[in-house]
Amino acid sequence: MLSVNLTSHPSVFAYTSLLSSRSSFLTAAQFPSSLPHMHHLLALLLLVVAVCKLTALMVERREKLRNLEAFPGPPAHWLFGHVQEFKQDGTELDKVVKWGKQYPFAFQLWFGPFVSFLNIHHPDYVKTLLSTTEPKDDFGYRFFTPWIGDGLLVSSGQKWFRNRRLLTPGFHYDILKPYVKLMSDSAKTMLDKWESYAQTSESFELFEHVSLMTLDSIMKCAFSLNSAFNVRLSSHFSGTNAYIKAVYDLSFLINLRVRVAPYHNNIIFHLSPHGFRFRKAVKVAHHHTEEVIRKRREELKKETELDRIQAKRNLDFLDILLCATVGYTILSDEDIRAEVDTFMFEGHDTTASGISFILYCLACNPEHQQMCRDEIMHALEGKDTIEWEDLSKIPYTTMCIKESLRLYPPVPGIARKITKPLTFFDGRTAAAGHCCKCVYLEIWVFDPLRFLPENVSSRSPHAFVPFSAGPRNCIGQTFAMNEMKVVIALTLRRYQLIEDPNRKPKIVPRLVLRSLNGIHIKIKPVDQQP
């Protein structure tokens, strides 16, 4: 589904200084008597500003209602809109699916009296939108910018075109091949920690383990650093892992800010304890990244050719950024930091969500799990690790991964703000200024055969876009798919995954898809299957 956000976010600040006197100076006796008049004038001025602002919002609301007449939706409360329908209890996506069946192709949703979205849920609508280069919406993504800056995720226009072209070589398969071993090492470290769970019949929560593992993998691939698994799997982080803790805090705090409406206001969030914690974490993250960039620049002064660097060690993402040029363009330190921080967030949190739900799906579908395991054992031929060449030898496992991504997309919405009217195949038009967001209608049956080549060719390619599509698709999608394959293969080689029927996940769409009560499974060593 796609949703179009018609909101704007103006802020009005007024400061008025009034000095009036028949003479050039106010005497000490005159000044106090003038204060009540100044207060009255200031109050009147603020009232006028408030009335003007409210009038502008009402005019904007009428314009939005007129533009959305062609896209009916569920009845909305005049003040709260549909906010009360989203109770953060794990039923939000079910309601969106229900509405999607009731209103073909697209429908409107309101969050309060002035913020609206157009939710689109038809492949041809998705194709129309994602074939453009329209920028990301300015409602939710603005919360990222203090951390990741104007990186590839949120930038637009010529800067986005330039950086996309600069960064594309960093995801060539020659660069990605050595990453498979690094991903494998991180996965095996996590699986070693699971030994204690394998000896019990108790379930455990997946997401925190997987999140730290994907952080460790990104640290190795992006920075050539090994540190994440010095962190204990709890809320307590050692002082030497300040950067890991900062990334973990930032992901949590951005999620929190999206959920808590008053925190959408910059001033309220800035003055809050969470805002202070956010700024502190941003400072730590930026300091760490800047220090890594500085040290790597010094190292690269000695070896200016990428092939000479590669002869000494594997190239990482930072090498590519520092050496990337288009014509005479070289990225500034600020641009490099923004792209590294962007890759750090997108490459760990989204992948952690995807892997966690894939493992959960396989636990709930033991027959498909066993078929994947048999395929993996045959592909690895007795090896305890997986290599680049093995990734193409597990097609059924790949289909199961895609089916899980269909049921539980790590990013359940793809948002765009259109800058010019967009007409869809049925003749309806979304006006300029809308923010468009893709959300998907899931069929709740786990069937990997949907992704057999003959079945894929019979449906629209825009019916399944977990990494978006078009010119603004996910630049790191091959990296993410490789990591998912590596982790799933090594996990199934070692453990049997068992569903905990008493702890079903309560799904909530936040920055990435999450579960309110965690994602729990049980495991047993493969050679001890019941």
Side-chain angles (χ1 to χ4, degrees):
M1 274 178 242
L2 297 167
S3 79
V4 179
N5 180 359
L6 302 170
T7 188
S8 60
H9 307 281
S11 298
V12 179
F13 297 91
Y15 174 80
T16 307
S17 176
L18 302 175
L19 292 175
S20 59
S21 175
R22 295 182 181 178
S23 61
S24 302
F25 302 97
L26 287 172
T27 66
Q30 290 173 319
F31 187 73
S33 63
S34 67
L35 285 178
H37 300 289
M38 294 174 64
H39 291 162
H40 293 158
L41 287 174
L42 182 58
L44 179 61
L45 178 60
L46 292 176
L47 178 61
V48 170
V49 170
V51 170
C52 291
K53 176 60 180 173
L54 181 60
T55 302
L57 288 172
M58 294 304 297
V59 170
E60 184 181 357
R61 174 180 167 82
R62 285 198 297 270
E63 181 70 13
K64 292 175 183 178
L65 288 169
R66 184 180 65 81
N67 289 335
L68 288 173
E69 283 180 346
F71 303 97
H77 187 275
W78 70 272
L79 178 61
F80 300 111
H82 298 95
V83 170
Q84 294 173 314
E85 299 287 343
F86 296 93
K87 303 181 185 299
Q88 292 291 315
D89 59 358
T91 64
E92 289 88 343
L93 287 180
D94 292 335
K95 288 180 180 178
V96 173
V97 170
K98 175 185 174 182
W99 290 331
K101 294 176 180 177
Q102 186 176 354
Y103 302 96
F105 304 157
F107 61 91
Q108 58 178 283
L109 286 181
W110 288 80
F111 291 84
F114 306 117
V115 179
S116 60
F117 296 82
L118 179 61
N119 290 269
I120 299 169
H121 53 90
H122 189 282
D124 289 336
Y125 269 60
V126 176
K127 179 181 179 180
T128 300
L129 179 70
L130 296 187
S131 61
T132 71
T133 57
E134 296 288 32
K136 300 293 180 71
D137 82 276
D138 54 3
F139 176 67
Y141 286 100
R142 64 191 175 97
F143 302 143
F144 289 86
T145 53
W147 173 21
I148 64 175
D150 196 20
L152 204 61
L153 178 65
V154 297
S155 60
S156 60
Q158 288 302 312
K159 182 172 184 177
W160 177 84
F161 279 107
R162 182 200 70 179
N163 287 9
R164 178 80 182 204
R165 186 179 175 189
L166 283 168
L167 298 176
T168 297
F171 295 92
H172 188 273
Y173 76 92
D174 283 337
I175 301 299
L176 298 178
K177 284 173 68 174
Y179 290 172
V180 172
K181 182 182 185 306
L182 301 178
M183 295 170 180
S184 179
D185 291 343
S186 295
K188 286 192 284 188
T189 302
M190 179 186 72
L191 297 175
D192 287 343
K193 292 177 179 289
W194 288 8
E195 283 287 352
S196 60
Y197 300 113
Q199 305 307 319
T200 72
S201 59
E202 297 180 358
S203 65
F204 68 101
E205 203 285 315
L206 280 174
F207 197 93
E208 185 179 14
H209 292 261
V210 176
S211 183
L212 284 173
M213 182 272 298
T214 56
L215 261 178
D216 185 59
S217 181
I218 285 291
M219 293 287 282
K220 291 173 180 174
C221 297
F223 294 143
S224 295
L225 295 177
N226 298 279
S227 60
F229 275 113
N230 293 328
V231 180
R232 291 185 296 158
L233 290 173
S234 69
S235 59
H236 303 287
F237 293 81
S238 65
T240 59
N241 291 285
Y243 181 71
I244 299 294
K245 182 181 184 301
V247 172
Y248 202 84
D249 284 349
L250 288 167
S251 297
F252 166 78
L253 291 167
I254 292 174
N255 272 313
L256 179 70
R257 191 173 183 190
V258 170
R259 299 197 314 268
V260 179
Y263 280 177
H264 295 176
N265 181 278
N266 290 335
I267 294 178
I268 293 175
F269 183 71
H270 183 87
L271 296 176
S272 72
H274 288 116
F276 174 79
R277 182 178 166 192
F278 180 82
R279 293 191 301 277
K280 182 178 178 181
V282 167
K283 184 177 180 179
V284 171
H286 286 177
H287 174 76
H288 182 276
T289 310
E290 289 165 355
E291 188 66 11
V292 171
I293 293 171
R294 183 188 65 79
K295 290 180 179 179
R296 186 62 60 82
R297 280 201 187 280
E298 293 177 357
E299 178 184 337
L300 292 180
K301 287 179 182 178
K302 304 173 184 177
E303 300 288 349
T304 57
E305 300 293 333
L306 282 180
D307 54 350
R308 293 171 64 186
I309 299 168
Q310 194 166 18
K312 291 186 174 182
R313 60 170 172 79
N314 294 327
L315 292 178
D316 62 24
F317 184 66
L318 188 54
D319 290 324
I320 302 301
L321 285 172
L322 291 171
C323 297
T325 59
V326 174
Y328 295 101
T329 301
I330 299 177
L331 293 178
S332 67
D333 281 0
E334 183 179 356
D335 288 335
I336 292 170
R337 188 190 71 194
E339 299 302 347
V340 171
D341 286 334
T342 296
F343 186 49
M344 178 68 66
F345 164 71
E346 289 195 279
H348 112 266
D349 214 23
T350 54
T351 312
S353 175
I355 292 172
S356 297
F357 281 108
I358 293 167
L359 294 174
Y360 172 75
C361 282
L362 292 174
C364 295
N365 296 273
E367 69 282 6
H368 295 295
Q369 179 187 156
Q370 187 58 45
M371 292 175 69
C372 291
R373 182 177 292 108
D374 293 341
E375 178 183 67
I376 290 162
M377 293 297 194
H378 182 265
L380 296 185
E381 299 178 334
K383 296 182 296 186
D384 65 351
T385 190
I386 188 168
E387 299 172 351
W388 173 267
E389 293 74 16
D390 300 321
L391 299 180
S392 61
K393 300 176 183 178
I394 50 174
Y396 192 80
T397 304
T398 302
M399 289 194 294
C400 287
I401 290 172
K402 290 181 178 179
E403 176 66 351
S404 177
L405 294 177
R406 183 190 69 82
L407 287 168
Y408 300 100
V411 182
I414 303 171
R416 299 286 187 272
K417 182 172 183 177
I418 57 176
T419 58
K420 52 184 177 293
L422 197 63
T423 301
F424 299 104
F425 75 97
D426 59 355
R428 293 188 289 182
T429 300
H434 291 52
C435 293
C436 303
K437 182 182 179 185
C438 304
V439 187
Y440 313 105
L441 295 182
E442 297 84 355
I443 302 173
W444 293 107
V445 177
F446 187 84
D447 182 11
L449 298 185
R450 299 180 205 276
F451 292 94
L452 283 171
E454 56 269 30
N455 292 334
V456 171
S457 63
S458 67
R459 62 175 176 261
S460 168
H462 289 84
F464 175 70
V465 284
F467 299 103
S468 189
R472 289 201 71 131
N473 67 347
C474 175
I475 194 173
Q477 60 184 285
T478 303
F479 177 97
M481 278 299 296
N482 288 349
E483 185 167 20
M484 291 178 191
K485 291 180 183 181
V486 167
V487 176
I488 301 307
L490 294 180
T491 301
L492 295 186
R493 189 195 72 84
R494 192 162 170 179
Y495 297 116
Q496 181 195 16
L497 312 178
I498 305 168
E499 178 188 9
D500 183 349
N502 298 319
R503 309 188 78 169
K504 298 280 189 181
K506 297 180 179 180
I507 309 303
V508 286
R510 293 183 178 167
L511 289 186
V512 299
L513 198 69
R514 294 180 181 270
S515 170
L516 286 173
N517 58 335
I519 305 172
H520 294 81
I521 64 169
K522 303 175 184 180
I523 60 173
K524 291 291 183 183
V526 167
D527 59 355
Q528 296 181 17
Q529 296 183 29

